[in-house]
Amino acid sequence: MEILKERYEKLQESLPGYVTLVVVSKTHPVEKMRVVYEAGARIFGENRVQEILAKKPLLPEDIQWHLIGQLQRNKVRAILPHVALIHSMDRESLFEEIQKEAVKMQLQPKVLLQVHVAKENTKAGFDSDELFSFVEKYRNNWLPVIPCGLMAMATFTDDEAQIESEFRQVQALFERLKTEFFKHNDAFSIVSMGMSSDWPIALRCGSNMIRVGSRIFGER
Ligand SMILES: *Cc1c(COP(=O)(O)O)cnc(C)c1O
């Protein structure tokens, strides 16, 4: 258990102050999460709605829960009151559902638009054309949803040049969206990219939020 604390502290200390670390705790028990919490972590990322709902009552209330995995429309209502940020807003139909439920529940959910830059087709997200037409369509119609930036995953590969080129694409998309659509929207400020294996590359490319699991908890 002590090792978890050490790994978390070492990673946290190595990050520049503007970078937010999301501790990815999926599949790991609350006992281990508590160790990392006690070392100072307050933001935990999970990829399943059921897992957040099960773990949340067992842990301190000042934890911010981030949803990082694909969200089904029929789970939106259940999860909305419990998450501080949804990283995986990856399609228009999901946005419409989040917006509809947020209105009903009088919530202002924060979301990141997930973009697809990896080679794998299995990875979710808007490609760049879809992203621009989506943002164009909703440019004055976000409310009450708050768009806070972009999230992406790079291809699972050892080829660092490939990963770097994908992260640079994401950063370029962010800059373009920021200038063209969100210049006066301070909330639109997050680029969530980088995981255990590739976060140093992501930081070089402009990431300001990394999502790290196995490097802290060990392999799943
Ligand atoms: C699991 C997961 C992570 C963390 O992966 P590690 O390799 O364990 O750091 C980050 N982002 C997403 C979307 C994930 O599903």
Side-chain angles (χ1 to χ4, degrees), residues 119-220:
K119 281 185 173 164
E120 297 111 334
N121 290 325
T122 50
K123 287 198 171 133
F126 296 93
D127 66 32
S128 79
D129 290 346
E130 288 169 347
L131 184 67
F132 279 90
S133 51
F134 174 79
V135 171
E136 182 72 59
K137 179 168 174 187
Y138 289 97
R139 63 185 313 159
N140 297 311
N141 299 296
W142 288 98
L143 291 175
V145 179
I146 304 174
C148 293
L150 301 182
M151 184 276 253
M153 272 184 279
T155 304
F156 186 69
T157 173
D158 290 335
D159 182 351
E160 293 206 358
Q162 174 69 27
I163 296 171
E164 176 151 348
S165 111
E166 291 172 0
F167 284 154
R168 296 226 179 265
Q169 283 176 55
V170 178
Q171 186 65 26
L173 285 170
F174 174 82
E175 303 292 346
R176 267 189 67 194
L177 287 176
K178 183 73 190 171
T179 348
E180 292 177 31
F181 297 93
F182 298 103
K183 213 173 188 134
H184 305 292
N185 183 340
D186 290 345
F188 196 86
S189 60
I190 299 173
V191 181
S192 167
M193 55 187 188
M195 324 198 332
S196 290
S197 58
D198 57 18
W199 67 266
I201 307 173
L203 291 194
R204 282 210 296 279
C205 299
S207 166
N208 57 16
M209 185 174 278
I210 63 173
R211 311 175 309 270
V212 176
S214 44
R215 208 185 131 102
I216 296 169
F217 289 105
E219 293 303 323
R220 284 180 292 275

Side-chain angles (χ1 to χ4, degrees), residues 1 4 28-36 58-59 217:
M1 288 290 200
L4 301 185
H28 298 291
V30 291
E31 290 72 29
K32 288 189 177 176
M33 292 173 68
R34 208 170 276 124
V35 174
V36 183
L58 306 174
L59 287 163
F217 289 105

Side-chain angles (χ1 to χ4, degrees), residues 2-195:
E2 196 62 19
I3 185 81
L4 301 185
K5 183 170 180 280
E6 275 168 35
R7 288 197 199 122
Y8 166 78
E9 284 170 351
K10 209 164 150 231
L11 175 57
Q12 180 64 63
E13 280 160 20
S14 72
L15 298 175
Y18 65 85
V19 176
T20 300
L21 170 59
V22 178
V23 177
V24 176
S25 47
K26 65 189 186 201
T27 75
H28 298 291
V30 291
E31 290 72 29
K32 288 189 177 176
M33 292 173 68
R34 208 170 276 124
V35 174
V36 183
Y37 174 90
E38 271 153 23
R42 292 296 178 271
I43 305 177
F44 289 90
E46 293 279 346
N47 64 344
R48 291 179 50 238
V49 167
Q50 290 312 324
E51 201 163 336
I52 295 180
L53 297 178
K55 286 173 168 177
K56 194 178 177 217
L58 306 174
L59 287 163
E61 283 184 7
D62 63 344
I63 288 178
Q64 292 180 34
W65 296 86
H66 285 197
L67 184 70
I68 61 172
Q70 196 149 36
L71 176 57
Q72 291 169 281
R73 278 186 297 165
N74 63 7
K75 302 256 172 73
V76 167
R77 183 204 303 261
I79 201 61
L80 228 43
H82 299 289
V83 284
L85 183 63
I86 297 172
H87 290 233
S88 43
M89 215 291 289
D90 59 0
R91 59 203 191 278
E92 184 168 338
S93 60
L94 177 62
F95 172 74
E96 288 175 345
E97 185 69 18
I98 292 173
Q99 193 176 43
K100 187 180 91 192
E101 292 300 331
V103 169
K104 282 195 214 160
M105 291 191 268
Q106 296 191 293
L107 296 171
Q108 294 175 289
K110 293 182 175 173
V111 303
L112 302 180
L113 310 182
Q114 184 173 349
V115 296
H116 180 261
V117 287
K119 281 185 173 164
E120 297 111 334
N121 290 325
T122 50
K123 287 198 171 133
F126 296 93
D127 66 32
S128 79
D129 290 346
E130 288 169 347
L131 184 67
F132 279 90
S133 51
F134 174 79
V135 171
E136 182 72 59
K137 179 168 174 187
Y138 289 97
R139 63 185 313 159
N140 297 311
N141 299 296
W142 288 98
L143 291 175
V145 179
I146 304 174
C148 293
L150 301 182
M151 184 276 253
M153 272 184 279
T155 304
F156 186 69
T157 173
D158 290 335
D159 182 351
E160 293 206 358
Q162 174 69 27
I163 296 171
E164 176 151 348
S165 111
E166 291 172 0
F167 284 154
R168 296 226 179 265
Q169 283 176 55
V170 178
Q171 186 65 26
L173 285 170
F174 174 82
E175 303 292 346
R176 267 189 67 194
L177 287 176
K178 183 73 190 171
T179 348
E180 292 177 31
F181 297 93
F182 298 103
K183 213 173 188 134
H184 305 292
N185 183 340
D186 290 345
F188 196 86
S189 60
I190 299 173
V191 181
S192 167
M193 55 187 188
M195 324 198 332

